[in-house]
Amino acid sequence: MTKTKAIIYDGVDQIRFGDVTLPALGQRQILATTLYTFVSPGTELRVLGGHYGAEGNYPVVPGYAAISRILEVGAEVKGFKAGDVISCRNPVGFADCGSMWGGEAGAHVYATEGEDTPILIPQGLKDEEYLPYAAAEVAAISLRGVEAADPKEGETALVIGQGMIGQFSAMFLKLRGAKVVVADVAEARLAESVQAGVSAAVNLSEPGAEDRVARLGNGGYDIVVEASGSIPGVELAYRMIRRKPQNYSTDYKVEPIRFYGNDWPRLVMQANYIKEISINPFSFFSGEGVTILTPADRGVEERQRVIEYVRAGKVDMTPFLRNVVPCAEMPAYYRKLQKREIVSLIGDWRQ
């Protein structure tokens, strides 16, 4: 059976570069060699920390986002051929190592049906020209949340947390014409977001930060995306949702319950939470209604749309491509992610 190199977690906070064995190729599967992998810091670092069911199931190969070139297709595969370059997620598991979700490896076997089917991307490019597509799988998660919120031109949006999901959320909100304010505790992340063109950025570790956030949204936002994965982030999100006009003053007035019609403010819960969050529905929100969205994943359609946005030049992936490192050096860069010395990481597997 064929061996390939991979990032392997042997236990909590134990990471190495080693060998795994590929599964046999099924008749409706494809074998592909990896060009680039895009690290999802939130998911992959939490798996390294023993969360999401990882503890007790090591060793595992983490990750789920890759750009690959097809080497071989199964006898019953339709629509794919050897040589195609694909954006892919969640490969078939390895023969001798666990997967969560197995993307960080030099080769994979992929299913060609269902939600994990690879997406064909523009063909005939040089290897390095495929680099902007590496971020597509993770970006599609944010796109799903933004599309669920259905931003309208001129609305105000707040994104709490400027990790990968938060930065991509801000990018797609801007694309839809919203005024975007971002908030985080890491100055480096905020600086990157300002460079990417958000309207304003607030460091939540500074005195008076919440008042500043509220002021930038005139007291409340049409859309709030919670992407920090923290309880303080959730609590801030609840406080920053747009309120009915009478709630801006001290005068008490009861408007009809259908004051908004079909225009409730939207709260997009775009992170995963390790701890339970308890709220009182009659006190967390100063108003009479809010739409809460929990997109959680992405489908084939969102994945395809991101690929097309990249191809058409409608989104700039350059800010997310700063740390492209040879695959063998990736374990050291995971440590940099843990220390928040870097925001993004791409593995180069072409060697």
Side-chain angles (χ1 to χ4, degrees):
M1 299 183 76
T2 303
K3 294 280 188 179
T4 189
K5 293 293 184 182
I7 299 296
I8 302 172
Y9 295 171
D10 286 317
V12 173
D13 211 30
Q14 298 176 33
I15 181 172
R16 64 183 170 92
F17 187 66
D19 293 308
V20 294
T21 303
L22 291 169
L25 181 65
Q27 291 189 332
R28 297 184 181 182
Q29 297 173 341
I30 57 177
L31 171 65
T33 183
T34 307
L35 301 178
Y36 302 105
T37 57
F38 190 88
V39 175
S40 174
T43 298
E44 295 190 38
L45 292 183
R46 284 186 171 178
V47 171
L48 185 57
H51 302 291
Y52 301 164
E55 192 165 17
N57 290 300
Y58 296 114
V60 298
V61 177
Y64 53 79
I67 297 295
S68 303
R69 180 174 283 112
I70 297 176
L71 297 176
E72 184 180 352
V73 299
E76 297 181 11
V77 168
K78 297 179 181 180
F80 294 102
K81 62 183 180 180
D84 283 344
V85 179
I86 52 178
S87 173
C88 29
R89 57 169 268 174
N90 299 357
V92 178
F94 300 102
D96 56 355
C97 186
S99 294
M100 292 189 77
W101 284 250
E104 300 292 349
H108 297 104
V109 171
Y110 290 101
T112 58
E113 299 171 336
E115 289 300 321
D116 290 335
T117 186
I119 304 295
L120 286 166
I121 58 180
Q123 305 298 306
L125 305 179
K126 296 178 181 178
D127 282 357
E128 56 272 20
E129 293 176 310
Y130 285 111
L131 192 56
Y133 294 95
E137 285 294 330
V138 178
I141 299 171
S142 297
L143 177 63
R144 183 175 178 86
V146 168
E147 289 187 339
D150 193 22
K152 298 174 180 62
E153 186 82 25
E155 286 191 314
T156 58
L158 170 65
V159 183
I160 302 171
Q162 285 298 279
M164 284 293 94
I165 297 298
Q167 288 192 19
F168 285 131
S169 295
M171 179 179 71
F172 290 122
L173 284 162
K174 288 196 294 107
L175 187 65
R176 293 286 293 265
K179 171 190 174 180
V180 182
V181 176
V182 300
D184 201 297
V185 295
E187 193 60 40
R189 292 183 175 186
L190 294 170
E192 289 186 353
S193 300
V194 169
Q195 187 176 355
V198 300
S199 297
V202 179
N203 190 326
L204 294 174
S205 65
E206 294 181 351
E210 183 170 333
D211 291 334
R212 182 74 169 178
V213 171
R215 179 66 63 183
L216 287 163
N218 191 30
Y221 293 81
D222 301 299
I223 299 170
V224 178
V225 177
E226 205 309 287
S228 74
S230 69
I231 291 177
V234 173
E235 292 172 342
L236 176 63
Y238 292 151
R239 292 193 294 271
M240 289 297 113
I241 297 167
R242 184 189 68 196
R243 295 168 291 173
K244 290 168 58 175
Q246 78 273 13
N247 285 318
Y248 290 108
S249 69
T250 57
D251 296 331
Y252 181 74
K253 183 180 179 182
V254 179
E255 296 286 354
I257 188 67
R258 296 189 60 80
F259 178 87
Y260 281 128
N262 292 320
D263 188 31
W264 300 105
R266 288 85 81 201
L267 171 61
V268 185
M269 305 300 289
Q270 196 56 292
N272 290 314
Y273 302 90
I274 294 174
K275 295 181 179 179
E276 295 292 327
I277 301 170
S278 177
I279 59 169
N280 181 336
F282 290 101
S283 64
F284 81 84
F285 171 63
S286 299
E288 290 179 338
V290 58
T291 299
I292 299 179
L293 302 160
T294 56
D297 201 348
R298 73 283 195 210
V300 175
E301 294 79 8
E302 289 87 19
R303 298 165 64 204
Q304 289 176 324
R305 280 197 286 277
V306 174
I307 292 295
E308 180 58 18
Y309 281 143
V310 175
R311 187 204 65 78
K314 292 185 177 181
V315 294
D316 180 13
M317 292 297 188
T318 304
F320 310 106
L321 311 178
R322 292 191 177 95
N323 302 294
V324 183
V325 304
C327 53
E329 298 178 18
M330 289 181 71
Y333 280 81
Y334 275 84
R335 301 304 184 193
K336 292 179 181 287
L337 285 173
Q338 285 180 311
K339 297 175 183 177
R340 294 193 173 185
E341 295 174 2
I342 58 175
V343 176
S344 62
L345 175 60
I346 295 176
D348 184 344
W349 295 81
R350 293 175 297 163
Q351 301 303 315

